[in-house]
Amino acid sequence: MEPGFFDLLARAALDGPTPWVLAALVAMVVAVSRLPAGRRPSMKLPIALLLLHAITTTAGAAATAAGYAAQTYWIAAYALELFAGVAAVSVLVFRVTVPQLGWRVPRILIDIVTAIAVIVALIAVGKRAGLSLAGLITTSAVLTAVLGFALQDTLGNIMGGIALQLDQSIDVGDWISLGPGTPPGKVVEIRWRYTAIETHAWTTILIPNSQLVKGTVTVLGRRQGEPHRVRRDVDFYVEVAVPPGEVIEAVHAALVADPVANMVTEPPVQVLLYGVAEGRGWYKVRYWLIDIGVDDPTDAAVRARVWYALRRAGHGFSIPAQHLLVTAQDEAHLQRRDDRELRRRLDAIARVDLLASLDEEERRQLAGRLRDAPFRAGEAMTREGDADDGGLFVIVAGRAAVRIGAGATAREVAQLGPGQFFGEMSLMTGEKRSATVVALTDVVTYRIDKVAFEALVRSRPEIADDIADLLAERRSRLLEAREASDDLSRSGVRARTKNDILGRIRGFFNLGAGR
Ligand code: CMP
């Protein structure tokens, strides 16, 4: 006798994989319902597949009970329950258990394992339906070729994805750039077909894995064995007349004192004079950023710091030079600028003891002959042994060291600061430079050349006397330093030297002995 409808249903429920599939679904439902509400994965697919299975089974049982051939129903029901089982196990393992264990399973692994499970299920279904899928593929050359062609790209992507995972060349969280045309983005997942990156512009770009494996990919901010960081350059412009040392020092100090958020302190921030563009000094703040996600906001914070630092130093961002030239042509403006400069020069002259005896007019004349001569920290302003006619330098700002000798035997004989001068020895006697004077900080000086000085000593011969005094004093210290000749009485050397020097000065400038 033919089995009845309910017999068939009961047999279907107990037969084959059904109890296992049901058990997997129950386990999945229990596990998922234990999770907190917001973190529950969707169970729609396995449940929907199970429902479809139930419907096809019922249809199959009804058809069979009624005496119809219902093989198709049973096979469909079998396929549906296998898929439901795969889906349930996938949710249970990859969406519940693995996250609970705290493992980070690459997305592509989940995709591939699921795909293999589905293929196995399909083969099982094929077997039940009486066709051997594996046999079909191996025996039919045409089918194999067609499949091969169809899967060519997909396989390339899958293999690419697997390769990316295995060699860990790209990881979730990395920022990558594929070159012009594709904005850089942060890798959010690597799947079997593509790798997804999220860009600053809130877009997601799906890059086929095969392209990532074949092409050149720039991983931003990564270097072997080093923490993640990326170099940023923030440009700013300052009038070219502002001494670069001043700009660099002011900006650097402001950035080092309180590093901007997301800026690393090692490697340290640099402030560079990068060039001169459109008549302006072109500077760069070069710093290292931790999080590429906030590159523009951090650049903006750095730029704001620069603005304030420059303001405090009495400067500011400059506008393009065309505008400056328009105002610079203005007569009144030129006059004001000259007056300002004259005042600065007169102030500088007033600070030099040696020139204290000059009257107002002589000072003005000298001021007109001074030349601006600023030096960057580290520069040599005179070099021992040079026969330059660079003249005498009056220091307005900064510090300098007077050194003799070179290399290991080099030694410092004195330091000079604002109001002091150097270079008078060769100016006044025509001898070679007796020492190297090095700028210890950025130094602002005014240079007095031979012509200007000649005019000065001619009108005030006593200046030659004062200078000869100082010169003798300096020279004796040089002598001491050179020979460490403590046995010579210092005053004796000085007196001799002074007379000698005065004679040389007079000779050099053609001054009479009595003047
Ligand atoms: P000049 O020889 O033209 O160039 C080097 C300068 O170093 C020299 O002039 C002096 O002005 C300066 N100099 C040399 N010795 C001393 C010293 N002992 N103290 C201060 N300045 C010095």
Side-chain angles (χ1 to χ4, degrees):
M1 182 193 136
E2 282 289 310
F5 173 69
F6 289 104
D7 287 338
L8 286 165
L9 272 191
R11 200 186 294 166
L14 295 172
D15 252 12
T18 314
W20 296 108
V21 170
L22 286 176
L25 265 123
V26 170
M28 174 194 74
V29 171
V30 172
V32 167
S33 58
R34 281 209 190 140
L35 291 177
R39 289 183 31 219
R40 285 181 197 152
S42 163
M43 298 186 289
K44 276 186 201 149
L45 182 65
I47 290 177
L49 287 169
L50 189 73
L51 283 179
L52 284 175
H53 161 75
I55 292 167
T56 26
T57 309
T58 312
T64 311
Y68 294 106
Q71 177 70 348
T72 325
Y73 287 106
W74 291 116
I75 288 172
Y78 181 62
L80 285 165
E81 75 178 335
L82 286 185
F83 293 155
V86 168
V89 170
S90 165
V91 169
L92 192 60
V93 174
F94 294 123
R95 309 296 299 274
V96 181
T97 316
V98 166
Q100 266 176 353
L101 291 175
W103 294 347
R104 237 191 84 223
V105 176
R107 183 63 205 247
I108 188 172
L109 188 71
I110 301 177
D111 288 346
I112 288 174
V113 168
T114 313
I116 291 173
V118 169
I119 290 170
V120 170
L122 276 175
I123 292 174
V125 171
K127 235 182 189 170
R128 182 166 286 197
L131 22 110
S132 158
L133 214 55
L136 205 63
I137 291 172
T138 44
T139 49
S140 161
V142 176
L143 186 66
T144 317
V146 170
L147 263 182
F149 273 123
L151 289 179
Q152 203 176 24
D153 279 352
T154 313
L155 282 178
N157 284 325
I158 294 174
M159 296 319 286
I162 294 173
L164 289 176
Q165 287 294 339
L166 287 183
D167 67 5
Q168 295 191 328
S169 47
I170 296 173
D171 227 337
V172 171
D174 281 345
W175 278 80
I176 61 170
S177 150
L178 299 183
T182 316
K186 183 179 185 173
V187 176
V188 281
E189 53 177 9
I190 302 172
R191 302 201 53 171
W192 59 274
R193 197 179 67 75
Y194 60 80
T195 293
I197 62 170
E198 287 176 355
T199 71
H200 281 309
W202 211 262
T203 52
T204 301
I205 301 177
L206 309 180
I207 310 160
N209 289 333
S210 55
Q211 190 181 331
L212 285 179
V213 180
K214 276 189 219 143
T216 306
V217 180
T218 311
V219 181
L220 304 173
R222 194 165 78 186
R223 198 181 257 199
Q224 207 93 40
E226 303 271 354
H228 272 238
R229 60 194 42 169
V230 65
R231 195 179 88 171
R232 301 287 298 175
D233 283 348
V234 176
D235 293 340
F236 64 97
Y237 298 86
V238 178
E239 251 181 67
V240 84
V242 179
E246 239 175 274
V247 174
I248 291 170
E249 215 167 284
V251 172
H252 187 259
L255 289 170
V256 168
D258 292 300
V260 169
N262 283 306
M263 173 197 275
V264 294
T265 46
E266 197 53 48
V269 58
Q270 293 177 320
V271 184
L272 309 165
L273 172 59
Y274 208 68
V276 175
E278 294 179 330
R280 304 175 292 173
W282 172 20
Y283 294 85
K284 272 181 195 291
V285 172
R286 178 161 287 172
Y287 75 95
W288 297 84
L289 176 70
I290 301 173
D291 183 359
I292 307 176
V294 291
D295 54 358
D296 286 345
T298 314
D299 283 359
V302 168
R303 224 168 266 127
R305 281 279 177 88
V306 173
W307 188 90
Y308 284 101
L310 288 175
R311 259 301 155 92
R312 288 197 295 273
H315 310 299
F317 289 152
S318 96
I319 49 174
Q322 290 91 311
H323 296 265
L324 288 178
L325 290 175
V326 172
T327 42
Q329 297 304 331
D330 181 73
E331 287 268 327
H333 174 85
L334 280 177
Q335 186 60 46
R336 273 200 307 279
R337 210 187 56 187
D338 287 353
D339 289 351
R340 250 200 326 264
E341 182 57 22
L342 181 68
R343 262 200 309 281
R344 277 179 54 196
R345 290 177 173 206
L346 288 174
D347 282 351
I349 292 171
R351 293 176 69 181
V352 182
D353 291 345
L354 183 80
L355 305 172
S357 60
L358 299 186
D359 66 23
E360 186 63 24
E361 186 46 38
E362 286 164 336
R363 283 177 191 215
R364 278 180 176 275
Q365 274 179 12
L366 178 63
R369 292 186 168 126
L370 294 179
R371 295 274 164 274
D372 257 337
F375 291 93
R376 182 86 177 106
E379 274 190 287
M381 304 188 277
T382 66
R383 280 178 208 282
E384 186 176 355
D386 272 9
D388 62 272
D389 48 5
L392 176 157
F393 298 83
V394 176
I395 300 180
V396 179
R399 291 206 65 75
V402 182
R403 293 181 188 151
I404 54 167
T409 60
R411 88 170 65 158
E412 183 173 307
V413 288
Q415 284 202 5
L416 304 172
Q420 290 177 299
F421 57 89
F422 61 90
E424 76 293 341
M425 289 188 182
S426 54
L427 174 76
M428 304 191 67
T429 60
E431 289 168 4
K432 288 181 178 168
R433 296 285 187 195
S434 60
T436 299
V437 182
V438 178
L440 293 177
T441 62
D442 288 356
V443 174
V444 180
T445 73
Y446 284 125
R447 194 162 66 81
I448 306 178
D449 60 16
K450 192 182 166 199
V451 179
F453 203 79
E454 198 166 344
L456 198 67
V457 276
R458 280 192 181 283
S459 65
R460 293 276 173 176
E462 63 268 27
I463 285 183
D465 201 68
D466 285 348
I467 290 195
D469 231 359
L470 186 100
L471 241 131
E473 153 83 31
R474 284 184 170 180
R475 185 158 283 194
S476 80
R477 255 195 282 155
L478 276 184
L479 265 179
E480 266 175 38
R482 279 226 174 84
E483 299 160 8
S485 55
D486 288 336
D487 49 346
L488 288 166
S489 128
R490 205 175 147 174
S491 57
V493 173
R494 180 178 165 180
R496 269 209 311 279
T497 328
K498 182 188 167 179
N499 285 334
D500 173 40
I501 290 168
L502 204 52
R504 277 169 170 274
I505 295 175
R506 292 206 169 109
F508 194 56
F509 288 103
N510 278 328
L511 301 172
R515 290 175 70 184

